[in-house]
Amino acid sequence: MDPAEYNAQMSTQGYKRTNFEEDDISNTSNPPALDFNAGVVFKGGLSLWQKKSIMERVLLILTIVLSITVIILAIVLASKQAHITYLQNSSVCLEASCVQVSSSIITAMDRSVDPCDDFYQYACGGWMKSHPIPSGHSRFSTFSVLWQSNQVIMKHAIEQPVNKSINLSEWKAKTYYLSCMDENKTIEDLGAKPLQDILQKEFPSWSISVIDSNFDLQDLLEKSKKYGISTLFGVWVGEDDRNSARNILKVDQSGLGLPDRDYYLNKSIENDTVLTAYLEYMTQVGMLLGGEENSTRSQMIDVIMFETNLANITIPSEDHRDEEKMYNKLTIQQLQQNVTLFNWLHIINSCLSPADLQVTASEEIVSYAGNYLHDMANLVNETMSTEKGKRTLYNYLMWHIIKSTTSYLSKPFRNAQKVLSEALSGTTGGEELWRDCISDTDGTLGFALGAMFIREAFKGDSKDKAEHMIDEVKAAFKNNLPNLSWMDKETRAAAEDKANAVINMIGFPDYILNVSKLNEEYKRLEIKVDEYFGNNIRSTKYQLRKNFAELRKAPKKNRWSMTPPTVNAYYTPTKNEIVLPAGVLQAPFYDASFPMSLNFGAIGVVMGHELTHGFDDQGREYDKNGNLRPWWNNQSVIKFKERAECIQNQYSQYKLNGENVNGKLTLGENIADNGGLKSAYHAYTDWVSHNQQERPLPALNLTHKQLFFLGFSQVWCSNSLKQADHLQLVGDPHSPAKYRVIGTLSNSKEFAKEFKCPVGSRMNPKKKCEVW
């Protein structure tokens, strides 16, 4: 129906107006008084109106007014219904929600770009132009926009009154937030004192201004572990990969001050921006603690050189991903025999003591460190062979303790830290304080804050709808398994069993809405409004105690590692669980008013991505019960690796600012992206076959299958600084956003078909990689 037809249809027929005809009054001797409401005039001068009582007049007026109102409403409703009928019968969806989402999509696009040449630019060019990176960010994306929206919700929630006697956990979250906001300027007034008090109490023999090489390495390590500092190595408790029904002690490499070994190797302090900034940060903090500038700088150069030596023996991240290869179970006694430098039993019992636990030398422990622990012990021995080396090691250990606290101290300490942050990520300036404090509170008491967020923002039916959608994606994944000719029948059946066994955790853990259970969660955590530094130290110790207390307990199913407001999702191989927090179950990832093509393209792909993690190069090593063991036939393993190598080689060819993506490091995420897109697409097409065809969105001239791919791509719209790009390339297992779109779509036959991309075009290469 065109607008002219619509306007004609909307015209209503007129109704005949009733005219009151007056009687002949020419012969009356006393004409009646004129009245604007006068009706028929009777002989004798009185009208019917004048003969009625006041009550009768009022009732008559009300009746007339009501009748007119009903007529007008009927006309309006008829017009509105006609309008709705027109919208519903239109070949294009013109409801407000469709117009709004269509406008948002168009604004994000750059339609001057050929979608078969660069679909990322085609989908996100407009978004990138209209979303410059704000102060305090090195990267800004659709994830960032949604997180900022969630922050506003949390701010409103946390600023409401809380009854401490009833809801102690939420009161603690609010109190922590206020301690971060620091309206009384307590943080600035205290300056370095909170840190100095710890140093004086725990490490009285150390001072940045006094050269002293006398220290007890064992004692210093044990004290540093008490504050959660993973110098030289890390120790914690987690599920035993080969027996996921029990927890076990674990140890791994650790101890670099910069994010990755790459920042040290083949670099020099004089010529490298990051190392120069790192040295400046260290020197400024040392001076704030009383050190003389030249002496402090000289000592910190020695610390950087020690860390460089440590980086040289650190296993690269891409090699560390092979969990079957890295897993090594042994007893503490065996560890002691292999690495004699430390008293391992004493260190581990020191870690366990806050949890009131102790172990013997026969206790089993899993090492993921390969030869690192042996090489590290040799490096430490060599370093301590000279007086200068002893002092360097002492400063190294103390520096890591100090560095862990600078974020909680006064502005001069935080400004010193910004020098390094800018060099690493390009970040300048900062966000509004309340945003930093909301994020900080989420990281410290995230489930108490999450309870507030859920009450404010999470609709009750969202959880059920997400559960249903993830079941549809899972069904599509399983239905595709018979199409994978490279899998043998037995392995395919085992893969289906594993997919069936995946546990879905949607929205939030139920216990957080139970006040008594939530209070119990944070019962042992003390929070004070004027002790921001102290709150963080106590929180660190609280988290450490909780972790080590799990050693003699069975791993808890359905335990969340992400807080409800988080804009992310994850898969846990040892539990075979998928977690989608409430924070990500919102637009642009999911909205009940969106076409299902967009919902499947966005949150559906996220679901498929996490599901596929159970079958990527790492996840496939775990069976349906979360145990690390061979459960594939050898021939299927060989063929899987061939296809995985195709993915690895493909992504290794992509470049960002002239620097190659690490296809080996990002392999698992790339497999998950490709498999997730495929599963979500088939889930959508299956949904279409069982539901009414959705009407096209206005002004886009795209089919819903095309919108599926566009919705997927626009999730990854992002701007980033070059420093942030490098930081991602050297240490992040995810590919850059651009290649999460281009790499994935260029492997999709369905995408090429829907956008009619010629074979050999950039988005439809002849050679495609496919695993799942």
Side-chain angles (χ1 to χ4, degrees), residues 621-632:
E621 296 177 335
Y622 293 80
D623 66 15
K624 67 178 183 180
N625 298 313
N627 293 318
L628 184 66
R629 70 173 184 87
W631 56 281
W632 289 37

Side-chain angles (χ1 to χ4, degrees), residues 12 35 44 54 86 91 184 199 486 578 593 599 716 718 761 772:
T12 56
D35 190 305
I54 293 175
Y86 166 68
S91 60
N184 296 326
L199 296 179
W486 58 267
I578 291 174
S593 67
N599 284 332
W716 297 111
S718 175
S761 63
W772 296 105

Side-chain angles (χ1 to χ4, degrees), residues 235-284:
V235 180
W236 75 101
V237 169
E239 297 96 340
D240 185 346
D241 299 278
R242 295 202 186 279
N243 181 7
S244 61
R246 73 158 185 161
N247 285 317
I248 195 170
L249 286 161
K250 299 186 174 187
V251 64
D252 203 351
Q253 63 186 15
S254 185
L256 299 180
L258 295 175
D260 191 86
R261 67 196 292 267
D262 181 77
Y263 284 99
Y264 297 92
L265 304 185
N266 303 313
K267 308 287 195 311
S268 68
I269 298 174
E270 296 80 11
N271 301 319
D272 185 77
T273 303
V274 172
L275 286 179
T276 301
Y278 188 32
L279 176 59
E280 183 64 22
Y281 170 35
M282 300 166 85
T283 303
Q284 289 298 321

Side-chain angles (χ1 to χ4, degrees), residues 147-389:
W147 174 245
Q148 287 191 334
S149 175
N150 288 352
Q151 285 178 316
V152 172
I153 295 169
M154 288 184 276
K155 180 179 185 290
H156 177 265
I158 207 167
E159 290 177 350
Q160 303 305 308
V162 177
N163 189 328
K164 179 181 178 181
S165 63
I166 297 175
N167 203 329
L168 183 59
S169 60
E170 292 185 18
W171 177 87
K172 288 180 178 179
K174 181 181 178 73
T175 303
Y176 180 88
Y177 173 75
L178 294 174
S179 77
C180 177
M181 294 295 290
D182 193 36
E183 291 184 359
N184 296 326
K185 305 301 179 186
T186 306
I187 297 172
E188 301 308 315
D189 291 343
L190 289 172
K193 188 177 185 304
L195 173 58
Q196 289 171 331
D197 288 346
I198 287 179
L199 296 179
Q200 186 175 0
K201 175 185 176 183
E202 300 280 14
F203 317 100
S205 67
W206 181 86
S207 170
I208 191 67
S209 59
V210 179
I211 305 299
D212 182 6
S213 59
N214 294 317
F215 69 101
D216 185 332
L217 177 59
Q218 179 82 23
D219 180 65
L220 188 53
L221 274 173
E222 291 179 9
K223 286 181 177 178
S224 69
K225 302 303 178 193
K226 185 169 69 173
Y227 289 93
I229 313 301
S230 295
T231 44
L232 301 180
F233 57 88
V235 180
W236 75 101
V237 169
E239 297 96 340
D240 185 346
D241 299 278
R242 295 202 186 279
N243 181 7
S244 61
R246 73 158 185 161
N247 285 317
I248 195 170
L249 286 161
K250 299 186 174 187
V251 64
D252 203 351
Q253 63 186 15
S254 185
L256 299 180
L258 295 175
D260 191 86
R261 67 196 292 267
D262 181 77
Y263 284 99
Y264 297 92
L265 304 185
N266 303 313
K267 308 287 195 311
S268 68
I269 298 174
E270 296 80 11
N271 301 319
D272 185 77
T273 303
V274 172
L275 286 179
T276 301
Y278 188 32
L279 176 59
E280 183 64 22
Y281 170 35
M282 300 166 85
T283 303
Q284 289 298 321
V285 170
M287 292 168 61
L288 289 169
L289 292 174
E292 188 274 329
E293 182 174 1
N294 291 332
S295 173
T296 301
R297 187 178 301 276
S298 176
Q299 292 180 70
M300 293 302 104
I301 288 174
D302 292 337
V303 170
I304 291 176
M305 295 310 297
F306 176 79
E307 289 189 3
T308 301
N309 291 333
L310 203 62
N312 274 297
I313 62 172
T314 297
I315 302 167
S317 300
E318 59 268 28
D319 295 335
H320 205 255
R321 296 186 71 255
D322 190 338
E323 298 188 7
E324 276 194 328
K325 181 180 178 180
M326 299 310 301
Y327 181 98
N328 178 31
K329 185 185 290 183
L330 69 170
T331 65
I332 295 175
Q333 183 178 3
Q334 290 171 323
L335 177 61
Q336 186 68 58
Q337 292 168 350
N338 294 338
V339 184
T340 60
L341 177 62
F342 310 117
N343 185 330
W344 289 98
L345 181 61
H346 205 277
I347 289 175
I348 291 169
N349 277 330
S350 175
C351 292
L352 291 169
S353 60
D356 300 321
L357 290 174
Q358 295 288 278
V359 296
T360 66
S362 63
E363 186 76 21
E364 289 184 319
I365 187 168
V366 173
S367 170
Y368 299 97
N371 293 325
Y372 168 84
L373 293 177
H374 180 269
D375 295 341
M376 176 269 294
N378 288 340
L379 173 62
V380 171
N381 266 327
E382 182 183 345
T383 304
M384 293 186 68
S385 64
T386 65
E387 288 300 310
K388 181 182 178 181

Side-chain angles (χ1 to χ4, degrees), residues 676-692:
L677 180 85
K678 186 175 181 180
S679 293
Y681 180 79
H682 288 310
Y684 172 62
T685 56
D686 187 61
W687 181 90
V688 170
S689 68
H690 293 90
N691 292 273
Q692 184 177 355

Side-chain angles (χ1 to χ4, degrees), residues 554-620:
K556 294 180 180 178
K557 295 289 185 181
N558 305 328
R559 170 172 284 178
W560 288 59
S561 298
M562 283 182 181
T563 63
T566 304
V567 185
N568 211 329
Y570 69 94
Y571 169 81
T572 305
T574 54
K575 295 180 179 179
N576 201 22
E577 293 174 345
I578 291 174
V579 176
L580 286 108
V584 78
L585 294 173
Q586 302 175 84
F589 295 90
Y590 175 81
D591 192 300
S593 67
F594 283 5
M596 289 304 292
S597 56
L598 294 178
N599 284 332
F600 273 101
I603 197 64
V605 174
V606 173
M607 293 169 173
H609 173 101
E610 301 306 336
L611 175 63
T612 307
H613 266 315
F615 304 87
D616 67 16
D617 63 312
Q618 288 180 305
R620 70 160 193 85

